[in-house]
Amino acid sequence: MNNVHRLLILAITWFAFILGVTIGCYNQITADPPEHFAIHSRALNYTDKDCYTKCDIELIVFGKILKNE
């Protein structure tokens, strides 16, 4: 009886752990991306416009001029 009780507790604990991890992963996958991702993406794609230079866009969005591009 003791082994059955121990196995039942282990099964319930394992199920709760897997359920929690599954719900956490689902929430992460279906969540909206953070706002700063959209801002950075827009900044990188906004250089087609003539009203701002690329340096102006980088200063506004990133706070500094990026040297890698």
Side-chain angles (χ1 to χ4, degrees):
M1 187 69 175
N2 194 13
N3 286 338
V4 173
H5 183 263
R6 196 178 285 175
L7 185 61
L8 181 63
I9 295 297
L10 183 63
I12 291 171
T13 304
W14 183 249
F15 175 76
F17 173 75
I18 295 298
L19 181 66
V21 169
T22 303
I23 291 172
C25 289
Y26 176 78
N27 286 341
Q28 275 301 109
I29 290 170
T30 59
D32 292 333
E35 186 178 341
H36 70 277
F37 285 1
I39 292 171
H40 287 191
S41 179
R42 270 187 269 143
L44 296 174
N45 294 324
Y46 195 76
T47 55
D48 298 336
K49 310 290 185 205
D50 292 333
C51 56
Y52 290 110
T53 65
K54 185 171 182 164
C55 292
D56 292 338
I57 299 292
E58 290 174 353
L59 281 172
I60 291 168
V61 175
F62 302 109
K64 63 181 179 180
I65 296 175
L66 303 176
K67 295 179 181 177
N68 59 357
E69 293 182 346

